[in-house]
Amino acid sequence: MDFTNFTATENPTGVMASFSDKERLEGLRRGERQAVQSLYDDYFDRIAHYIVQNSGSKTHAQDIFQDAVVVLFQKVRSPEFQLTSSIYTFLFSVCRNLWLKKLRKSGKEEVTSDQDMEYIDEGPEKDEWEEQARYQMYRRKLRQLGEGCQNLLQLSMQGLSMKQIVARLGISSEQYARKKKFKCKEQLVRLIKADPDYEALRYDA
Amino acid sequence: MNDENTYRDIERYLAGEMDGPARSAFEQRLAAEPQLAEELALHRDIEGAFADPETMAFSALVADVVGGEAAGESAVPKKNTFRIWAVAAAVLLLAVVGFFVFQGGPASPESLFADNFTAYEAPANFRSEDPVLEAALQAAFTAYNNGNYADAQQRFGVLYAQSQADRTVSFYYGLSALANDQASTAIAPLQELADQAPHSYRSQARWYLALAHLAENQVDSAKARLESLAASPGKYQAPAQDLLEELE
């Protein structure tokens, strides 16, 4: 389904997509903490309820919710983006899609669904959402590394030369930085491969 | 597949840095070794995930707000205390050897601070019901986001002096001072935040307070803060564990 033509629907309070949603989208586009906090405060509990009712845990819900918010962030940065549904409908749709994929991989079925809500069905958006979910898993693993490793790997993958990285991070030598980068990346790859979602995400990649 | 030469070949191939013969030889290996091809696909995917700094920063922000990142369930074996200390001992041995081979000596607390400190992200805009306060905060955050930490410290300092009840002001006052090499000034506001009941800046305040103590060569105080973080699940648990190992 073409997301941009999706018809407007109600958010949980029964109010159509409102000025506050527009403010939140603008806040998200600028990467503001308040905008993210407001989404969490207003929508997390209901989405978590759906996931827990469908064989998930609160931690699963937190991860899936994070993934959906990052998907929305990617969307709002696009110049052509226009949200014609409520933010909640979008977030719930992404979360439901990602969670159902996990359920299918573990051989389970959806038990309950949110009967009150319409949601965006799978369509050309699905691959984008699942790619971001996979990327989010990698980012979570990166955050489990020490801050030195995180900085080193991020700067390296953002295209900085080893010379620039050494200068930026105050590392003693390029040789030491290369050794440390290898160790950090090895650790990251090991964490990724050990994640129970790795095989499921890789199979569809 | 996890040896350093393979990783280097993969990175050079993905970066387009292999010349014709080397590239052809590597592509022949890819065709003949499915495991190498899978490893390449994973590394390419990882690079895609980390390529955009804005998305990385936003992802970290969302994780901080939502919290509780899953460590993985079912297939991942639970750690036990012996394994943690065995791994820590092996890491410590490697770190000591690595330091003496590559740096010629153990790292000082001040250099550990330098290695581990990065300025915490700040909003581009900050709204307040009080227009005067909002304007002052906007100016302070603009200075902070432009890396003008001396100016940011001065601006947040004025607001902090007026009221220490605003946690955002206290936090960024501390961070500005720390980024401006004024760790002694950073300690008080960060300590207040670190010792309060749970709030959205508490774990960050504890981490940066530990770093401030390191910058001031207050190793015992730093360790106490790091031990508390290392014992609590969250964003700073792993970094605190790493830093404690380096301090030992």
Side-chain angles (χ1 to χ4, degrees), chain A residues 30-33 37 57 59-60 62-63 66 73-74 77 134-136 138-140 142-144 146-147 151 154 157-158 172 176 179 181-182 185-186 189 192-194 196 202, chain B residues 2 4 7 11 38-39 43 45-46 49-56 58-61 63-65 67-70 73 76 102-103 116 118 120 125 127 200 207 238 242:
Chain A
R30 293 197 294 255
E32 292 176 359
R33 186 185 187 94
Q37 187 73 55
S57 67
T59 308
H60 287 131
Q62 286 168 326
D63 286 352
Q66 287 181 37
F73 171 73
Q74 296 286 59
R77 293 168 79 202
R134 200 168 65 245
Y135 285 0
Q136 277 289 94
Y138 301 159
R139 292 168 190 144
R140 278 192 278 276
L142 180 75
R143 288 195 287 268
Q144 290 180 27
E147 198 158 336
N151 292 334
Q154 284 188 77
M157 293 192 203
Q158 283 159 19
S172 59
Y176 178 72
K179 283 281 181 190
K181 179 187 168 184
F182 165 66
K185 198 162 190 187
E186 189 185 31
V189 169
I192 289 172
K193 288 181 176 177
R202 187 179 66 143
Chain B
N2 62 341
E4 194 169 348
Y7 274 38
E11 287 181 4
E38 282 179 17
E39 194 74 20
H43 284 243
D45 217 30
I46 291 171
F50 299 162
D52 178 22
E54 285 189 22
T55 303
M56 291 297 292
F58 185 78
S59 174
L61 168 65
D64 200 43
V65 170
E69 294 196 320
E73 295 182 7
V76 178
F102 297 110
Q103 289 195 325
N116 286 276
T118 51
Y120 192 76
N125 295 286
R127 294 191 182 88
S200 59
W207 170 251
D242 286 349

Coordinates of all heavy atoms in Angstrom, one line a residue, chain A residues 30-33 37 57 59-60 62-63 66 73-74 77 134-136 138-140 142-144 146-147 151 154 157-158 172 176 179 181-182 185-186 189 192-194 196 202, chain B residues 2 4 7 11 38-39 43 45-46 49-56 58-61 63-65 67-70 73 76 102-103 116 118 120 125 127 200 207 238 242:
Chain A
R30 N 14.3 17.4 14.0 CA 15.5 18.0 14.5 C 16.2 17.2 15.5 O 17.1 17.6 16.1 CB 15.0 19.4 15.1 CG 14.6 20.4 14.1 CD 14.6 21.8 14.7 NE 13.6 21.9 15.8 CZ 12.4 22.5 15.7 NH1 12.1 23.1 14.5 NH2 11.6 22.6 16.7
G31 N 15.6 16.0 15.8 CA 16.3 15.1 16.7 C 16.2 15.5 18.2 O 17.1 15.3 19.0
E32 N 15.0 16.1 18.6 CA 14.9 16.7 19.9 C 14.4 15.6 20.9 O 13.4 14.8 20.6 CB 13.9 17.8 19.9 CG 14.4 19.0 19.1 CD 13.4 20.2 19.0 OE1 12.3 20.0 19.5 OE2 13.8 21.2 18.4
R33 N 15.0 15.6 22.0 CA 14.6 14.7 23.1 C 13.2 14.8 23.5 O 12.5 13.8 23.8 CB 15.6 14.9 24.3 CG 15.4 13.8 25.4 CD 16.3 14.2 26.6 NE 16.2 13.1 27.5 CZ 17.1 12.1 27.6 NH1 18.1 12.1 26.8 NH2 16.9 11.1 28.4
Q37 N 10.5 11.9 23.9 CA 9.9 11.6 25.2 C 8.4 11.6 25.1 O 7.7 10.8 25.7 CB 10.4 12.6 26.2 CG 10.0 12.4 27.7 CD 10.7 11.2 28.3 OE1 11.9 11.2 28.3 NE2 10.0 10.2 28.8
S57 N 7.9 -9.7 25.6 CA 8.2 -9.1 26.9 C 8.3 -7.6 26.8 O 8.3 -7.0 25.7 CB 9.6 -9.7 27.3 OG 10.6 -9.1 26.5
T59 N 10.9 -5.9 27.4 CA 12.1 -5.6 26.7 C 12.0 -5.6 25.2 O 12.5 -4.8 24.5 CB 13.2 -6.5 27.2 OG1 13.3 -6.5 28.6 CG2 14.6 -6.0 26.7
H60 N 11.3 -6.7 24.7 CA 11.0 -6.7 23.3 C 10.2 -5.5 22.9 O 10.5 -4.9 21.8 CB 10.1 -7.9 23.0 CG 10.8 -9.3 23.1 ND1 10.3 -10.3 23.8 CD2 11.9 -9.7 22.5 CE1 11.1 -11.4 23.7 NE2 12.1 -11.0 22.9
Q62 N 10.3 -2.5 24.2 CA 11.2 -1.4 24.2 C 12.0 -1.3 22.9 O 12.2 -0.3 22.3 CB 12.1 -1.4 25.5 CG 11.3 -1.0 26.7 CD 12.1 -1.3 28.0 OE1 12.8 -2.3 28.0 NE2 11.9 -0.5 29.0
D63 N 12.5 -2.5 22.5 CA 13.4 -2.5 21.3 C 12.5 -2.2 20.1 O 13.0 -1.5 19.2 CB 14.0 -3.9 21.2 CG 15.1 -4.2 22.2 OD1 15.5 -3.2 22.9 OD2 15.6 -5.3 22.2
Q66 N 11.6 1.4 19.9 CA 12.8 2.2 19.5 C 12.9 2.1 18.0 O 13.2 3.1 17.3 CB 14.0 1.7 20.1 CG 14.2 2.0 21.6 CD 15.5 1.5 22.1 OE1 16.5 1.5 21.5 NE2 15.5 1.0 23.4
F73 N 11.7 8.7 12.2 CA 12.8 9.7 12.1 C 13.3 9.7 10.7 O 13.5 10.8 10.1 CB 13.9 9.4 13.1 CG 15.1 10.3 12.9 CD1 15.1 11.6 13.3 CD2 16.3 9.8 12.4 CE1 16.2 12.4 13.1 CE2 17.4 10.6 12.3 CZ 17.4 11.9 12.6
Q74 N 13.6 8.5 10.1 CA 14.1 8.5 8.7 C 13.1 9.0 7.8 O 13.4 9.7 6.8 CB 14.4 7.0 8.4 CG 15.5 6.4 9.2 CD 16.9 6.9 8.8 OE1 17.2 8.1 8.9 NE2 17.7 6.0 8.4
R77 N 12.7 13.0 7.7 CA 13.8 13.7 7.1 C 13.7 13.7 5.6 O 14.4 14.5 5.0 CB 15.1 13.0 7.5 CG 15.4 13.1 9.0 CD 16.5 12.2 9.4 NE 17.8 12.8 9.0 CZ 18.9 12.1 8.9 NH1 18.9 10.7 9.0 NH2 20.1 12.6 8.6
R134 N 17.0 -4.2 11.4 CA 18.3 -5.0 11.4 C 19.4 -4.0 11.8 O 20.2 -4.3 12.7 CB 18.5 -5.5 10.0 CG 19.5 -6.6 9.9 CD 19.5 -7.3 8.6 NE 19.9 -6.4 7.5 CZ 19.1 -6.0 6.5 NH1 17.9 -6.4 6.5 NH2 19.6 -5.3 5.5
Y135 N 19.4 -2.8 11.3 CA 20.4 -1.8 11.6 C 20.3 -1.4 13.1 O 21.3 -1.2 13.7 CB 20.2 -0.5 10.8 CG 20.6 -0.6 9.3 CD1 21.1 -1.8 8.8 CD2 20.5 0.5 8.5 CE1 21.5 -1.9 7.5 CE2 20.9 0.4 7.1 CZ 21.4 -0.8 6.6 OH 21.8 -0.9 5.3
Q136 N 19.1 -1.4 13.6 CA 18.9 -1.0 15.0 C 19.6 -2.1 15.9 O 20.1 -1.8 16.9 CB 17.4 -0.9 15.4 CG 16.8 0.5 15.0 CD 17.4 1.5 16.0 OE1 18.3 2.2 15.7 NE2 16.7 1.7 17.1
Y138 N 22.2 -3.9 15.2 CA 23.6 -3.6 15.1 C 24.0 -2.4 16.0 O 25.0 -2.5 16.7 CB 24.1 -3.3 13.7 CG 23.8 -4.3 12.6 CD1 23.8 -3.9 11.3 CD2 23.6 -5.6 12.9 CE1 23.5 -4.9 10.3 CE2 23.4 -6.6 12.0 CZ 23.3 -6.2 10.6 OH 23.1 -7.1 9.6
R139 N 23.1 -1.4 16.0 CA 23.4 -0.2 16.8 C 23.3 -0.5 18.3 O 24.1 0.0 19.1 CB 22.4 0.9 16.5 CG 22.6 1.5 15.1 CD 21.5 2.4 14.7 NE 21.6 2.8 13.2 CZ 20.5 2.9 12.4 NH1 19.3 2.8 12.9 NH2 20.7 3.2 11.2
R140 N 22.4 -1.4 18.7 CA 22.3 -1.8 20.1 C 23.5 -2.6 20.5 O 24.0 -2.4 21.6 CB 21.0 -2.7 20.3 CG 19.7 -1.9 20.5 CD 18.6 -2.8 21.0 NE 18.0 -3.5 19.9 CZ 17.0 -3.0 19.1 NH1 16.6 -1.8 19.3 NH2 16.5 -3.8 18.1
L142 N 26.5 -2.2 19.2 CA 27.6 -1.2 19.3 C 27.5 -0.5 20.6 O 28.6 -0.3 21.2 CB 27.4 -0.2 18.2 CG 28.5 0.9 18.1 CD1 29.8 0.4 17.6 CD2 28.1 2.1 17.3
R143 N 26.4 -0.2 21.1 CA 26.2 0.5 22.4 C 26.6 -0.4 23.6 O 26.8 0.1 24.7 CB 24.8 1.1 22.6 CG 24.6 2.2 21.6 CD 23.3 3.0 22.0 NE 22.1 2.3 21.7 CZ 21.4 2.4 20.6 NH1 21.9 3.2 19.7 NH2 20.3 1.7 20.4
Q144 N 26.8 -1.7 23.4 CA 27.2 -2.5 24.4 C 28.7 -2.6 24.6 O 29.3 -3.1 25.5 CB 26.7 -4.0 24.2 CG 25.2 -4.1 24.4 CD 24.7 -5.6 24.2 OE1 25.5 -6.5 24.3 NE2 23.5 -5.7 23.8
G146 N 32.5 -0.6 24.9 CA 33.0 0.5 25.6 C 32.9 1.8 24.7 O 32.9 1.7 23.5
E147 N 32.9 2.9 25.3 CA 32.7 4.2 24.6 C 33.9 4.4 23.6 O 33.7 4.9 22.5 CB 32.6 5.4 25.5 CG 32.0 6.6 24.8 CD 31.3 7.6 25.8 OE1 30.9 7.1 26.9 OE2 31.2 8.7 25.4
N151 N 33.2 5.0 19.6 CA 33.7 6.2 18.9 C 34.6 5.8 17.7 O 34.4 6.3 16.6 CB 34.4 7.1 19.8 CG 33.5 7.8 20.8 OD1 32.3 7.9 20.6 ND2 34.1 8.1 22.0
Q154 N 32.5 4.1 14.9 CA 31.6 5.1 14.2 C 32.4 6.0 13.3 O 32.0 6.2 12.2 CB 30.8 5.9 15.2 CG 29.7 5.1 15.9 CD 28.8 6.0 16.7 OE1 28.0 6.8 16.2 NE2 29.0 6.0 18.0
M157 N 33.6 4.2 10.2 CA 32.5 3.8 9.2 C 31.9 5.1 8.6 O 31.2 5.0 7.7 CB 31.5 2.9 9.9 CG 32.1 1.6 10.2 SD 30.8 0.4 10.6 CE 31.8 -0.8 11.6
Q158 N 32.1 6.2 9.2 CA 31.7 7.5 8.7 C 32.7 8.1 7.7 O 32.5 9.2 7.2 CB 31.2 8.4 9.8 CG 29.9 8.0 10.4 CD 29.7 8.6 11.8 OE1 30.3 9.5 12.2 NE2 28.7 8.0 12.5
S172 N 47.2 7.2 20.7 CA 48.6 7.5 20.7 C 49.2 7.3 19.3 O 50.2 8.0 18.9 CB 49.3 6.6 21.7 OG 49.1 5.2 21.4
Y176 N 48.3 1.6 16.9 CA 47.5 1.2 18.0 C 46.0 1.3 17.7 O 45.2 0.5 18.0 CB 47.8 2.0 19.2 CG 47.0 1.7 20.4 CD1 47.2 0.5 21.1 CD2 46.0 2.5 20.9 CE1 46.4 0.2 22.2 CE2 45.2 2.2 22.0 CZ 45.4 1.0 22.7 OH 44.7 0.7 23.7
K179 N 44.9 -1.6 15.6 CA 44.8 -2.8 16.4 C 43.5 -2.8 17.2 O 42.7 -3.7 17.3 CB 45.9 -3.0 17.3 CG 47.2 -3.5 16.7 CD 47.2 -5.0 16.5 CE 48.5 -5.5 15.9 NZ 48.4 -6.9 15.5
K181 N 40.8 -1.0 16.6 CA 39.7 -1.1 15.7 C 39.3 -2.5 15.4 O 38.2 -2.9 15.4 CB 39.9 -0.3 14.4 CG 38.8 -0.3 13.4 CD 39.1 0.3 12.1 CE 38.1 0.0 11.1 NZ 38.4 0.5 9.7
F182 N 40.4 -3.3 15.1 CA 40.1 -4.7 14.8 C 39.5 -5.4 16.0 O 38.5 -6.2 15.8 CB 41.4 -5.4 14.4 CG 41.3 -6.9 14.4 CD1 40.5 -7.6 13.5 CD2 42.0 -7.7 15.3 CE1 40.4 -8.9 13.5 CE2 41.9 -9.1 15.3 CZ 41.1 -9.7 14.4
K185 N 35.9 -4.3 16.4 CA 35.0 -4.8 15.3 C 34.7 -6.3 15.5 O 33.6 -6.8 15.3 CB 35.5 -4.5 13.9 CG 34.5 -4.6 12.9 CD 34.9 -4.0 11.6 CE 33.8 -3.9 10.6 NZ 34.2 -3.4 9.3
E186 N 35.8 -7.0 15.9 CA 35.6 -8.4 16.2 C 34.6 -8.6 17.3 O 33.8 -9.5 17.2 CB 37.0 -9.0 16.6 CG 37.1 -10.5 16.7 CD 38.4 -10.9 17.3 OE1 39.0 -10.2 18.1 OE2 38.9 -12.0 16.9
V189 N 31.0 -7.9 15.9 CA 30.5 -8.9 15.1 C 30.1 -10.1 15.9 O 29.1 -10.8 15.6 CB 31.6 -9.3 14.0 CG1 31.2 -10.6 13.3 CG2 31.7 -8.2 13.0
I192 N 26.8 -9.4 17.5 CA 25.7 -9.5 16.5 C 25.4 -10.9 16.2 O 24.2 -11.3 16.2 CB 26.1 -8.7 15.2 CG1 26.2 -7.2 15.4 CG2 25.2 -9.0 14.0 CD1 26.7 -6.4 14.3
K193 N 26.4 -11.7 15.9 CA 26.1 -13.1 15.6 C 25.5 -13.9 16.7 O 24.8 -14.9 16.5 CB 27.4 -13.8 15.1 CG 27.9 -13.3 13.7 CD 29.1 -14.0 13.3 CE 29.5 -13.5 11.9 NZ 30.8 -14.2 11.4
A194 N 25.7 -13.4 17.9 CA 25.2 -14.2 19.1 C 23.7 -13.7 19.4 O 23.1 -14.4 20.2 CB 26.0 -13.9 20.3
P196 N 19.9 -13.6 19.2 CA 18.9 -14.6 18.7 C 18.2 -14.1 17.4 O 17.6 -14.9 16.7 CB 17.9 -14.7 19.8 CG 18.3 -13.8 20.9 CD 19.6 -13.2 20.6
R202 N 19.0 -12.1 9.0 CA 19.9 -12.3 7.9 C 19.3 -13.1 6.8 O 19.4 -12.9 5.7 CB 21.1 -13.1 8.5 CG 22.2 -13.3 7.5 CD 23.4 -14.0 8.1 NE 23.0 -15.4 8.4 CZ 23.8 -16.4 8.2 NH1 25.0 -16.2 7.8 NH2 23.4 -17.6 8.5
Chain B
N2 N 37.5 -14.4 11.5 CA 37.6 -13.2 12.3 C 39.1 -12.8 12.5 O 39.5 -12.3 13.5 CB 36.9 -13.4 13.6 CG 37.5 -14.5 14.4 OD1 38.2 -15.4 13.9 ND2 37.3 -14.5 15.7
E4 N 42.5 -10.7 11.5 CA 42.7 -9.3 11.2 C 42.9 -9.1 9.7 O 42.4 -8.1 9.1 CB 43.9 -8.7 12.0 CG 44.0 -7.2 12.0 CD 45.0 -6.7 12.9 OE1 45.5 -7.5 13.8 OE2 45.3 -5.5 12.9
Y7 N 39.5 -9.2 7.9 CA 38.8 -8.0 8.1 C 39.4 -6.8 7.3 O 38.6 -6.0 6.7 CB 38.9 -7.6 9.6 CG 37.8 -8.2 10.5 CD1 37.4 -9.5 10.3 CD2 37.2 -7.5 11.5 CE1 36.4 -10.1 11.1 CE2 36.2 -8.1 12.3 CZ 35.9 -9.4 12.1 OH 34.9 -10.0 12.9
E11 N 37.4 -4.7 4.4 CA 37.2 -3.2 4.5 C 37.8 -2.6 3.2 O 37.2 -1.6 2.7 CB 37.9 -2.7 5.7 CG 37.1 -3.0 7.0 CD 37.8 -2.5 8.2 OE1 38.8 -1.8 8.1 OE2 37.3 -2.7 9.3
E38 N 29.4 -14.3 3.1 CA 28.4 -14.0 4.2 C 29.1 -12.9 5.1 O 28.4 -12.0 5.5 CB 28.0 -15.2 5.0 CG 27.0 -16.1 4.3 CD 26.7 -17.3 5.1 OE1 27.0 -17.3 6.3 OE2 26.1 -18.3 4.6
E39 N 30.3 -13.1 5.4 CA 31.0 -12.1 6.3 C 31.1 -10.8 5.6 O 30.8 -9.7 6.2 CB 32.4 -12.6 6.6 CG 33.1 -11.9 7.7 CD 32.6 -12.3 9.1 OE1 32.0 -13.4 9.2 OE2 32.8 -11.5 10.0
H43 N 29.5 -7.2 7.0 CA 30.2 -6.0 7.2 C 29.7 -4.9 6.3 O 29.7 -3.7 6.8 CB 31.7 -6.3 6.8 CG 32.5 -7.0 7.8 ND1 33.5 -6.5 8.5 CD2 32.3 -8.3 8.3 CE1 34.0 -7.4 9.4 NE2 33.2 -8.5 9.3
D45 N 26.6 -4.5 5.6 CA 25.3 -4.1 6.2 C 25.6 -3.3 7.5 O 25.0 -2.3 7.7 CB 24.6 -5.4 6.7 CG 23.1 -5.2 6.5 OD1 22.6 -4.5 5.7 OD2 22.3 -5.9 7.3
I46 N 26.6 -3.7 8.2 CA 27.0 -2.9 9.4 C 27.4 -1.5 9.0 O 27.0 -0.5 9.7 CB 28.2 -3.6 10.2 CG1 27.7 -4.9 10.8 CG2 28.7 -2.7 11.3 CD1 28.8 -5.8 11.4
A49 N 24.5 0.6 8.5 CA 23.8 1.0 9.8 C 24.5 2.2 10.4 O 23.8 3.0 11.1 CB 23.8 -0.2 10.7
F50 N 25.8 2.3 10.3 CA 26.5 3.3 11.0 C 27.0 4.5 10.2 O 27.6 5.4 10.7 CB 27.8 2.7 11.6 CG 27.6 1.5 12.6 CD1 28.6 0.7 12.9 CD2 26.3 1.3 13.2 CE1 28.4 -0.4 13.8 CE2 26.1 0.3 14.0 CZ 27.1 -0.6 14.3
A51 N 26.6 4.5 8.9 CA 27.1 5.5 8.0 C 26.6 7.0 8.3 O 27.4 7.9 8.1 CB 26.8 5.2 6.6
D52 N 25.4 7.1 8.8 CA 24.8 8.4 9.0 C 25.0 8.8 10.5 O 24.3 8.3 11.3 CB 23.4 8.4 8.6 CG 22.7 9.8 8.8 OD1 23.4 10.8 8.9 OD2 21.5 9.8 8.9
P53 N 25.8 9.8 10.8 CA 26.0 10.2 12.2 C 24.7 10.8 12.8 O 24.5 10.6 14.0 CB 27.0 11.3 12.1 CG 27.2 11.7 10.7 CD 26.6 10.6 9.9
E54 N 23.8 11.4 12.1 CA 22.6 11.9 12.7 C 21.7 10.8 13.1 O 21.1 10.8 14.2 CB 21.8 12.8 11.7 CG 22.5 14.2 11.5 CD 21.6 15.1 10.7 OE1 20.4 14.9 10.6 OE2 22.2 16.1 10.1
T55 N 21.6 9.7 12.3 CA 20.7 8.6 12.6 C 21.4 7.9 13.8 O 20.6 7.4 14.7 CB 20.6 7.6 11.5 OG1 20.0 8.3 10.4 CG2 19.7 6.5 11.8
M56 N 22.7 7.8 13.9 CA 23.3 7.1 15.0 C 23.0 7.9 16.3 O 22.7 7.3 17.3 CB 24.8 7.1 14.8 CG 25.3 6.1 13.7 SD 24.9 4.4 14.1 CE 26.0 4.1 15.5
F58 N 20.5 9.9 16.9 CA 19.1 9.8 17.2 C 18.8 8.5 17.8 O 18.0 8.4 18.7 CB 18.2 10.1 15.9 CG 16.8 10.1 16.2 CD1 16.2 11.2 16.8 CD2 16.0 9.0 15.9 CE1 14.8 11.3 17.1 CE2 14.6 9.0 16.2 CZ 14.0 10.2 16.8
S59 N 19.4 7.4 17.2 CA 19.1 6.1 17.8 C 19.6 6.0 19.2 O 18.9 5.4 20.1 CB 19.9 5.0 16.9 OG 19.8 3.7 17.5
A60 N 20.7 6.6 19.5 CA 21.2 6.6 20.9 C 20.3 7.4 21.8 O 20.0 7.0 23.0 CB 22.6 7.2 21.0
L61 N 19.8 8.5 21.3 CA 18.8 9.3 22.1 C 17.6 8.5 22.4 O 17.1 8.5 23.5 CB 18.5 10.6 21.3 CG 17.3 11.4 21.8 CD1 17.6 12.0 23.2 CD2 16.9 12.5 20.8
A63 N 17.2 5.3 22.5 CA 17.5 4.2 23.5 C 17.6 4.8 24.9 O 17.2 4.2 25.8 CB 18.9 3.6 23.1
D64 N 18.1 6.0 25.0 CA 18.3 6.6 26.3 C 16.9 6.9 26.9 O 16.7 6.8 28.1 CB 19.1 7.9 26.2 CG 19.7 8.3 27.5 OD1 20.2 7.5 28.2 OD2 19.6 9.5 27.8
V65 N 16.0 7.4 26.0 CA 14.6 7.8 26.5 C 13.8 6.5 26.9 O 13.2 6.4 27.9 CB 13.9 8.6 25.4 CG1 12.4 8.8 25.8 CG2 14.5 10.0 25.2
G67 N 15.0 3.2 27.0 CA 15.7 2.4 28.0 C 15.6 1.0 27.8 O 14.9 0.5 26.9
G68 N 16.3 0.2 28.6 CA 16.1 -1.3 28.7 C 16.4 -2.0 27.5 O 15.6 -2.9 27.1
E69 N 17.5 -1.8 26.8 CA 17.8 -2.5 25.6 C 18.0 -4.0 25.9 O 18.7 -4.4 26.9 CB 19.1 -1.9 25.0 CG 18.8 -0.5 24.5 CD 19.9 0.0 23.5 OE1 21.1 -0.3 23.8 OE2 19.6 0.6 22.5
A70 N 17.4 -4.8 25.1 CA 17.4 -6.3 25.3 C 18.8 -6.8 25.2 O 19.4 -6.6 24.2 CB 16.4 -7.0 24.3
E73 N 17.6 -13.0 24.4 CA 17.0 -14.1 25.3 C 17.2 -15.4 24.6 O 17.6 -15.6 23.5 CB 15.5 -13.8 25.4 CG 15.2 -12.5 26.2 CD 13.7 -12.3 26.4 OE1 12.9 -13.2 26.0 OE2 13.4 -11.2 26.9
V76 N 21.0 -17.0 24.0 CA 22.3 -16.4 24.5 C 22.5 -16.9 25.9 O 21.6 -16.7 26.8 CB 22.2 -14.9 24.6 CG1 23.4 -14.3 25.2 CG2 22.0 -14.3 23.1
F102 N 52.4 -0.9 22.6 CA 52.0 0.3 21.7 C 52.1 1.6 22.4 O 52.2 2.6 21.7 CB 50.6 0.1 21.2 CG 50.4 -1.2 20.4 CD1 49.7 -2.2 20.8 CD2 51.1 -1.2 19.2 CE1 49.6 -3.4 20.1 CE2 50.9 -2.4 18.4 CZ 50.2 -3.5 18.8
Q103 N 52.1 1.7 23.7 CA 52.2 3.0 24.3 C 53.3 3.2 25.3 O 53.6 4.3 25.7 CB 50.9 3.3 25.0 CG 49.7 3.6 24.0 CD 48.5 4.2 24.7 OE1 48.3 3.9 25.9 NE2 47.8 5.1 24.0
N116 N 37.8 8.6 26.9 CA 36.5 8.2 27.1 C 35.4 9.4 27.1 O 34.3 9.1 27.0 CB 36.3 7.5 28.5 CG 36.9 6.1 28.4 OD1 36.2 5.2 28.0 ND2 38.1 5.9 28.8
T118 N 33.3 12.2 25.5 CA 32.7 12.9 24.3 C 31.6 13.7 24.8 O 30.8 13.2 25.7 CB 32.3 11.9 23.2 OG1 31.4 11.0 23.8 CG2 33.4 11.3 22.5
Y120 N 28.1 15.0 25.5 CA 26.8 14.4 25.4 C 25.9 15.3 24.4 O 26.0 16.5 24.4 CB 26.1 14.4 26.7 CG 24.8 13.6 26.8 CD1 24.9 12.2 26.8 CD2 23.6 14.2 26.8 CE1 23.8 11.4 26.9 CE2 22.5 13.4 26.9 CZ 22.5 12.0 26.9 OH 21.4 11.3 27.0
N125 N 17.0 22.8 19.8 CA 16.1 23.8 20.3 C 15.6 23.3 21.7 O 15.5 22.1 21.9 CB 14.9 24.0 19.4 CG 15.4 24.6 18.1 OD1 15.7 25.7 18.0 ND2 15.4 23.7 17.0
R127 N 12.4 24.3 24.4 CA 11.3 25.1 24.7 C 11.1 25.3 26.1 O 11.3 24.4 26.9 CB 10.1 24.6 24.0 CG 10.2 24.6 22.5 CD 8.8 24.3 21.8 NE 8.9 24.3 20.4 CZ 9.2 23.2 19.7 NH1 9.5 22.1 20.3 NH2 9.3 23.3 18.4
S200 N 15.7 11.4 34.3 CA 16.2 11.1 32.9 C 17.6 11.4 32.7 O 18.2 10.9 31.8 CB 15.3 11.9 31.9 OG 15.4 13.3 32.1
W207 N 27.9 8.8 35.0 CA 29.0 8.5 34.1 C 29.9 9.7 34.0 O 31.2 9.6 34.1 CB 28.5 8.1 32.7 CG 29.5 8.0 31.6 CD1 29.7 8.8 30.6 CD2 30.5 7.0 31.5 NE1 30.7 8.4 29.8 CE2 31.2 7.3 30.3 CE3 30.8 5.8 32.2 CZ2 32.3 6.5 29.9 CZ3 31.9 5.0 31.8 CH2 32.6 5.4 30.6
A238 N 28.3 -1.4 30.4 CA 29.5 -2.0 29.7 C 30.7 -1.0 29.7 O 31.8 -1.3 30.0 CB 29.1 -2.4 28.3
D242 N 34.4 -1.6 31.3 CA 35.6 -1.4 30.5 C 36.6 -0.5 31.2 O 37.8 -0.8 31.3 CB 35.3 -0.9 29.2 CG 34.7 -1.9 28.2 OD1 34.7 -3.1 28.6 OD2 34.2 -1.5 27.2

